[in-house]
Amino acid sequence: MWFRRRRRRGLKPFDESKLPRRTVPTVAEAADEGLILTEYAARMVVKNRFILKVLSGTEPWSRTRGRDVARSTLEHLARESEVDAENLGILMGKLRAIPKGERDAQGYDRDDLPNMKHRLAVSVELAHRLRERSTNDTYLDNLVERARGDAWREVAANIEHNLDIEFSPVDADYGRYRARRMRQLVNEDLAALAATVENKAASDWGAL
């Protein structure tokens, strides 16, 4: 038996013009977002250096050393943004030379030029901001201090995880008093570890 599809009434044709207008972030807004990511990357580099070198006892640490690591990382990230801008500039020059409507080997055409111009401006602005921060000792010290806190939290979490694996419950009160044992671990064992590292660090580390 054949059924006739019932026609829906009252539906209007799709009108693309009624969709919310897509807003493109400004150069400053896009640079702000990029700065958040690059600052996080720099903090992770400093944190990992702290864990690998200081806690392993292979390298002394100081505020100046942490600042140097942070500065070199920001300079490296700034250079990456500058290279991105340079490459975009070269690509834009090639696109301007091809006939309108044709595409290059990567699939770009002249219609992509406005977007590339925006990306280039963002890369230049981001590199500029990173360069500024790499010469700001107050900013660098703050970044290093946050990275140091990240390192200690990671060490504490790793110790707690290893203890959970190594020691299985031996009685019914194990779970009840677990929180108390964890506090003792942080207040006593981790404090002892911190004191050991502090003795190895240079005197100008300050708050360590």
Side-chain angles (χ1 to χ4, degrees):
M1 180 181 295
W2 293 94
F3 293 92
R4 180 180 298 176
R5 177 174 296 178
R6 301 182 65 180
R7 188 174 182 181
R8 296 184 181 181
R9 297 180 180 179
L11 293 180
K12 297 181 179 179
F14 176 72
D15 186 354
E16 188 175 352
S17 65
K18 297 294 181 63
L19 291 174
R21 188 174 182 180
R22 180 175 177 267
T23 58
V24 178
T26 65
V27 170
E29 290 170 343
D32 286 339
E33 295 178 0
L35 198 60
I36 292 173
L37 296 176
T38 52
E39 287 180 343
Y40 178 78
R43 208 170 85 205
M44 292 303 98
V45 170
V46 177
K47 179 207 72 173
N48 291 336
R49 178 65 64 87
F50 183 92
I51 292 175
L52 293 175
K53 299 297 183 180
V54 178
L55 298 187
S56 64
T58 60
E59 180 179 299
W61 189 268
S62 68
R63 187 183 302 275
T64 301
R65 184 179 294 276
R67 189 187 300 155
D68 289 343
V69 174
R71 178 181 293 110
S72 64
T73 302
L74 292 176
E75 289 174 346
H76 175 75
L77 293 170
R79 181 54 189 157
E80 284 189 346
S81 289
E82 291 166 349
V83 171
D84 287 341
E86 293 168 2
N87 291 337
L88 281 169
I90 294 172
L91 180 56
M92 290 170 66
K94 292 180 179 179
L95 290 179
R96 291 190 183 101
I98 66 175
K100 187 173 179 58
E102 293 189 10
R103 295 181 178 275
D104 71 351
Q106 297 176 333
Y108 294 111
D109 60 24
R110 294 176 66 177
D111 290 338
D112 294 309
L113 285 172
N115 181 49
M116 290 183 175
K117 182 179 179 181
H118 183 268
R119 288 169 51 194
L120 188 151
V122 172
S123 294
V124 170
E125 176 65 17
L126 180 57
H128 173 70
R129 295 194 193 184
L130 289 170
R131 293 286 183 193
E132 283 186 336
R133 282 159 175 73
S134 70
T135 60
N136 186 328
D137 286 346
T138 300
Y139 169 83
L140 293 174
D141 287 344
N142 180 264
L143 188 151
V144 170
E145 182 61 23
R146 285 183 292 152
R148 183 189 68 86
D150 292 338
W152 283 122
R153 283 189 291 272
E154 185 169 316
V155 169
N158 187 62
I159 292 176
E160 180 177 346
H161 174 72
N162 289 338
L163 285 177
D164 283 343
I165 294 176
E166 184 174 356
F167 298 101
S168 59
V170 295
D171 54 41
D173 291 331
Y174 179 88
R176 183 187 311 170
Y177 297 111
R178 182 179 182 278
R180 181 187 301 175
R181 287 194 297 275
M182 291 302 100
R183 287 195 298 271
Q184 291 175 343
L185 169 67
V186 173
N187 295 334
E188 299 175 8
D189 296 7
L190 197 55
L193 178 59
T196 301
V197 174
E198 183 175 351
N199 292 332
K200 294 180 180 179
S203 59
D204 64 336
W205 175 247
L208 180 63

